[in-house]
CSV table of all heavy atoms in Angstrom, one decimal:
chain,number,residue,atom,x,y,z
A,4,GLY,N,4.9,9.0,-0.1
A,4,GLY,CA,4.3,10.1,-0.9
A,4,GLY,C,5.1,11.4,-0.8
A,4,GLY,O,4.6,12.4,-1.2
A,5,ARG,N,6.3,11.4,-0.3
A,5,ARG,CA,7.0,12.6,0.0
A,5,ARG,C,8.0,13.0,-1.2
A,5,ARG,O,8.6,14.1,-1.2
A,5,ARG,CB,7.8,12.5,1.3
A,5,ARG,CG,7.0,12.4,2.5
A,5,ARG,CD,7.8,12.3,3.8
A,5,ARG,NE,8.8,11.3,3.7
A,5,ARG,CZ,10.1,11.4,4.0
A,5,ARG,NH1,10.5,12.6,4.5
A,5,ARG,NH2,10.9,10.4,4.0
A,6,GLN,N,8.2,12.1,-2.1
A,6,GLN,CA,9.3,12.3,-3.1
A,6,GLN,C,8.7,12.8,-4.5
A,6,GLN,O,9.3,13.7,-5.1
A,6,GLN,CB,10.1,11.0,-3.3
A,6,GLN,CG,11.0,10.8,-2.1
A,6,GLN,CD,12.0,11.9,-1.9
A,6,GLN,OE1,12.0,12.5,-0.8
A,6,GLN,NE2,12.7,12.3,-2.9
A,7,LEU,N,7.7,12.1,-5.0
A,7,LEU,CA,7.3,12.4,-6.3
A,7,LEU,C,5.8,12.7,-6.3
A,7,LEU,O,4.9,12.0,-5.8
A,7,LEU,CB,7.5,11.2,-7.2
A,7,LEU,CG,8.9,10.7,-7.3
A,7,LEU,CD1,9.0,9.4,-8.1
A,7,LEU,CD2,9.8,11.8,-8.0
A,8,ASP,N,5.4,13.9,-6.8
A,8,ASP,CA,4.0,14.3,-6.9
A,8,ASP,C,3.3,13.3,-7.8
A,8,ASP,O,3.8,13.0,-8.9
A,8,ASP,CB,3.9,15.7,-7.4
A,8,ASP,CG,4.2,16.8,-6.4
A,8,ASP,OD1,4.3,16.4,-5.2
A,8,ASP,OD2,4.4,17.9,-6.8
A,9,GLY,N,2.1,12.9,-7.4
A,9,GLY,CA,1.3,12.1,-8.2
A,9,GLY,C,1.6,10.6,-8.2
A,9,GLY,O,1.0,9.9,-9.0
A,10,ALA,N,2.5,10.2,-7.3
A,10,ALA,CA,2.7,8.8,-7.3
A,10,ALA,C,1.5,8.0,-6.8
A,10,ALA,O,0.8,8.5,-5.9
A,10,ALA,CB,3.9,8.5,-6.3
A,11,PRO,N,1.2,6.8,-7.3
A,11,PRO,CA,0.0,6.1,-6.8
A,11,PRO,C,0.2,5.7,-5.3
A,11,PRO,O,1.3,5.5,-4.8
A,11,PRO,CB,0.0,4.9,-7.7
A,11,PRO,CG,1.4,4.7,-8.2
A,11,PRO,CD,2.0,6.1,-8.3
A,12,SER,N,-1.0,5.6,-4.7
A,12,SER,CA,-0.9,5.1,-3.3
A,12,SER,C,-0.5,3.6,-3.3
A,12,SER,O,-0.8,2.9,-4.2
A,12,SER,CB,-2.3,5.3,-2.6
A,12,SER,OG,-3.2,4.4,-3.2
A,13,THR,N,0.1,3.2,-2.2
A,13,THR,CA,0.6,1.8,-2.1
A,13,THR,C,-0.6,0.9,-2.0
A,13,THR,O,-0.6,-0.2,-2.5
A,13,THR,CB,1.5,1.7,-0.9
A,13,THR,OG1,0.8,2.1,0.3
A,13,THR,CG2,2.8,2.5,-1.1
A,14,ILE,N,-1.7,1.3,-1.3
A,14,ILE,CA,-2.8,0.4,-1.1
A,14,ILE,C,-3.5,0.1,-2.5
A,14,ILE,O,-4.1,-1.0,-2.7
A,14,ILE,CB,-3.8,0.9,-0.1
A,14,ILE,CG1,-4.8,-0.2,0.4
A,14,ILE,CG2,-4.6,2.1,-0.6
A,14,ILE,CD1,-4.1,-1.2,1.3
A,15,ARG,N,-3.4,1.1,-3.4
A,15,ARG,CA,-4.0,0.9,-4.7
A,15,ARG,C,-3.1,0.1,-5.6
A,15,ARG,O,-3.6,-0.7,-6.4
A,15,ARG,CB,-4.3,2.3,-5.4
A,15,ARG,CG,-5.0,2.2,-6.7
A,15,ARG,CD,-5.4,3.6,-7.2
A,15,ARG,NE,-6.2,4.4,-6.3
A,15,ARG,CZ,-7.5,4.4,-6.3
A,15,ARG,NH1,-8.2,3.7,-7.2
A,15,ARG,NH2,-8.2,5.1,-5.5
A,16,ALA,N,-1.8,0.2,-5.4
A,16,ALA,CA,-0.8,-0.5,-6.3
A,16,ALA,C,-0.7,-2.0,-5.8
A,16,ALA,O,-0.3,-2.8,-6.6
A,16,ALA,CB,0.5,0.2,-6.2
A,17,LEU,N,-0.9,-2.2,-4.6
A,17,LEU,CA,-0.6,-3.5,-4.0
A,17,LEU,C,-1.3,-4.7,-4.6
A,17,LEU,O,-0.7,-5.7,-5.0
A,17,LEU,CB,-0.9,-3.5,-2.5
A,17,LEU,CG,-0.5,-4.7,-1.7
A,17,LEU,CD1,0.9,-5.0,-1.8
A,17,LEU,CD2,-0.9,-4.5,-0.2
A,18,PRO,N,-2.6,-4.7,-4.9
A,18,PRO,CA,-3.3,-5.9,-5.4
A,18,PRO,C,-2.7,-6.4,-6.8
A,18,PRO,O,-2.5,-7.5,-7.0
A,18,PRO,CB,-4.8,-5.5,-5.6
A,18,PRO,CG,-4.9,-4.4,-4.6
A,18,PRO,CD,-3.6,-3.7,-4.6
A,19,ALA,N,-2.5,-5.4,-7.7
A,19,ALA,CA,-1.9,-5.8,-9.0
A,19,ALA,C,-0.5,-6.4,-8.9
A,19,ALA,O,-0.1,-7.3,-9.6
A,19,ALA,CB,-1.9,-4.6,-10.0
A,20,ILE,N,0.3,-5.8,-8.0
A,20,ILE,CA,1.6,-6.3,-7.8
A,20,ILE,C,1.6,-7.7,-7.2
A,20,ILE,O,2.3,-8.6,-7.6
A,20,ILE,CB,2.4,-5.3,-6.9
A,20,ILE,CG1,2.7,-4.1,-7.7
A,20,ILE,CG2,3.7,-6.0,-6.4
A,20,ILE,CD1,3.3,-2.9,-6.9
A,21,ALA,N,0.7,-7.9,-6.2
A,21,ALA,CA,0.6,-9.2,-5.6
A,21,ALA,C,0.2,-10.3,-6.6
A,21,ALA,O,0.7,-11.4,-6.6
A,21,ALA,CB,-0.4,-9.2,-4.4
A,22,ASP,N,-0.8,-9.9,-7.5
A,22,ASP,CA,-1.2,-10.8,-8.5
A,22,ASP,C,0.0,-11.1,-9.5
A,22,ASP,O,0.2,-12.2,-9.9
A,22,ASP,CB,-2.3,-10.2,-9.3
A,22,ASP,CG,-3.6,-10.2,-8.5
A,22,ASP,OD1,-3.7,-11.0,-7.5
A,22,ASP,OD2,-4.6,-9.5,-8.9
A,23,ALA,N,0.8,-10.1,-9.8
A,23,ALA,CA,1.9,-10.3,-10.8
A,23,ALA,C,3.0,-11.2,-10.3
A,23,ALA,O,3.6,-11.9,-11.1
A,23,ALA,CB,2.5,-8.9,-11.1
A,24,VAL,N,3.2,-11.3,-9.0
A,24,VAL,CA,4.2,-12.1,-8.4
A,24,VAL,C,3.7,-13.4,-7.7
A,24,VAL,O,4.4,-14.1,-7.1
A,24,VAL,CB,5.2,-11.4,-7.5
A,24,VAL,CG1,5.9,-10.2,-8.2
A,24,VAL,CG2,4.4,-10.8,-6.3
A,25,GLY,N,2.3,-13.6,-7.9
A,25,GLY,CA,1.7,-14.8,-7.4
A,25,GLY,C,1.6,-14.9,-5.9
A,25,GLY,O,1.5,-16.0,-5.4
A,26,GLY,N,1.5,-13.7,-5.3
A,26,GLY,CA,1.2,-13.8,-3.8
A,26,GLY,C,0.2,-12.8,-3.4
A,26,GLY,O,0.0,-11.8,-4.1
A,27,ARG,N,-0.5,-13.0,-2.3
A,27,ARG,CA,-1.5,-12.1,-1.8
A,27,ARG,C,-1.3,-11.9,-0.3
A,27,ARG,O,-2.2,-12.0,0.5
A,27,ARG,CB,-2.9,-12.5,-2.2
A,27,ARG,CG,-3.1,-12.6,-3.6
A,27,ARG,CD,-4.6,-12.7,-4.0
A,27,ARG,NE,-5.3,-11.5,-3.6
A,27,ARG,CZ,-5.4,-10.4,-4.3
A,27,ARG,NH1,-4.6,-10.2,-5.3
A,27,ARG,NH2,-6.1,-9.4,-3.8
A,28,HIS,N,0.0,-11.7,0.0
A,28,HIS,CA,0.3,-11.5,1.4
A,28,HIS,C,1.1,-10.2,1.6
A,28,HIS,O,2.1,-10.0,0.8
A,28,HIS,CB,1.2,-12.7,1.8
A,28,HIS,CG,1.6,-12.7,3.3
A,28,HIS,ND1,0.8,-13.1,4.3
A,28,HIS,CD2,2.8,-12.3,3.8
A,28,HIS,CE1,1.5,-13.0,5.4
A,28,HIS,NE2,2.7,-12.5,5.2
A,29,ALA,N,0.7,-9.4,2.5
A,29,ALA,CA,1.4,-8.1,2.6
A,29,ALA,C,1.3,-7.5,4.0
A,29,ALA,O,0.4,-7.9,4.8
A,29,ALA,CB,0.7,-7.1,1.7
A,30,ASP,N,2.3,-6.7,4.3
A,30,ASP,CA,2.3,-5.9,5.5
A,30,ASP,C,1.6,-4.6,5.1
A,30,ASP,O,2.3,-3.8,4.5
A,30,ASP,CB,3.7,-5.6,6.1
A,30,ASP,CG,4.2,-6.8,6.9
A,30,ASP,OD1,3.4,-7.4,7.6
A,30,ASP,OD2,5.4,-7.1,6.8
A,31,PRO,N,0.4,-4.3,5.5
A,31,PRO,CA,-0.2,-3.0,5.1
A,31,PRO,C,0.3,-1.9,5.9
A,31,PRO,O,0.1,-1.8,7.1
A,31,PRO,CB,-1.7,-3.3,5.4
A,31,PRO,CG,-1.7,-4.3,6.5
A,31,PRO,CD,-0.5,-5.1,6.3
A,32,VAL,N,1.0,-1.0,5.3
A,32,VAL,CA,1.5,0.2,5.9
A,32,VAL,C,0.9,1.4,5.1
A,32,VAL,O,1.2,1.5,3.9
A,32,VAL,CB,3.0,0.3,5.9
A,32,VAL,CG1,3.5,1.6,6.5
A,32,VAL,CG2,3.5,-0.9,6.7
A,33,GLY,N,0.2,2.3,5.8
A,33,GLY,CA,-0.4,3.4,5.1
A,33,GLY,C,0.3,4.7,5.4
A,33,GLY,O,1.4,4.7,5.7
A,34,ARG,N,-0.5,5.8,5.4
A,34,ARG,CA,0.1,7.1,5.6
A,34,ARG,C,0.7,7.3,7.0
A,34,ARG,O,1.5,8.1,7.2
A,34,ARG,CB,-1.0,8.2,5.4
A,34,ARG,CG,-1.5,8.2,3.9
A,34,ARG,CD,-2.6,9.2,3.8
A,34,ARG,NE,-3.2,9.2,2.5
A,34,ARG,CZ,-2.7,9.9,1.5
A,34,ARG,NH1,-1.8,10.8,1.7
A,34,ARG,NH2,-3.3,9.9,0.3
A,35,ARG,N,0.1,6.6,8.0
A,35,ARG,CA,0.6,6.8,9.4
A,35,ARG,C,1.2,5.6,10.0
A,35,ARG,O,1.3,5.4,11.2
A,35,ARG,CB,-0.6,7.2,10.2
A,35,ARG,CG,-1.2,8.5,9.8
A,35,ARG,CD,-2.7,8.7,10.3
A,35,ARG,NE,-3.5,7.7,9.6
A,35,ARG,CZ,-4.6,7.2,10.1
A,35,ARG,NH1,-5.1,7.6,11.3
A,35,ARG,NH2,-5.3,6.4,9.4
A,36,GLY,N,1.7,4.7,9.2
A,36,GLY,CA,2.3,3.4,9.7
A,36,GLY,C,1.2,2.4,9.8
A,36,GLY,O,0.1,2.5,9.4
A,37,ALA,N,1.6,1.2,10.3
A,37,ALA,CA,0.7,0.1,10.3
A,37,ALA,C,-0.3,0.2,11.5
A,37,ALA,O,0.0,-0.2,12.6
A,37,ALA,CB,1.4,-1.2,10.4
A,38,VAL,N,-1.4,0.9,11.2
A,38,VAL,CA,-2.4,1.1,12.3
A,38,VAL,C,-3.7,0.4,11.9
A,38,VAL,O,-3.8,-0.1,10.7
A,38,VAL,CB,-2.7,2.6,12.5
A,38,VAL,CG1,-1.5,3.3,13.1
A,38,VAL,CG2,-3.2,3.3,11.2
A,39,GLY,N,-4.7,0.3,12.8
A,39,GLY,CA,-5.9,-0.5,12.6
A,39,GLY,C,-6.6,-0.2,11.3
A,39,GLY,O,-7.0,-1.1,10.5
A,40,LEU,N,-6.7,1.1,10.9
A,40,LEU,CA,-7.5,1.4,9.7
A,40,LEU,C,-6.7,0.9,8.5
A,40,LEU,O,-7.4,0.5,7.5
A,40,LEU,CB,-7.6,3.0,9.6
A,40,LEU,CG,-8.5,3.5,8.5
A,40,LEU,CD1,-9.9,2.8,8.5
A,40,LEU,CD2,-8.6,5.0,8.5
A,41,ASP,N,-5.4,1.0,8.5
A,41,ASP,CA,-4.7,0.5,7.3
A,41,ASP,C,-4.8,-1.0,7.2
A,41,ASP,O,-4.9,-1.6,6.1
A,41,ASP,CB,-3.2,0.8,7.5
A,41,ASP,CG,-2.9,2.3,7.5
A,41,ASP,OD1,-3.5,3.0,6.6
A,41,ASP,OD2,-2.2,2.8,8.4
A,42,VAL,N,-4.9,-1.8,8.3
A,42,VAL,CA,-5.2,-3.2,8.2
A,42,VAL,C,-6.6,-3.5,7.6
A,42,VAL,O,-6.7,-4.3,6.8
A,42,VAL,CB,-5.1,-3.8,9.6
A,42,VAL,CG1,-5.5,-5.3,9.6
A,42,VAL,CG2,-3.7,-3.7,10.2
A,43,VAL,N,-7.6,-2.7,8.0
A,43,VAL,CA,-8.9,-2.8,7.5
A,43,VAL,C,-8.9,-2.5,6.0
A,43,VAL,O,-9.5,-3.3,5.2
A,43,VAL,CB,-9.9,-1.9,8.2
A,43,VAL,CG1,-11.2,-1.8,7.5
A,43,VAL,CG2,-10.1,-2.3,9.6
């Protein structure tokens, strides 16, 4: 989120992308790295 103002969050973009490429497997990495809350 450091480069372009208004870019969508990755957690919001992920489901549609996973559906588009036929997969629902991801490494969840949020604002602070892969921590427990991001996994949840």
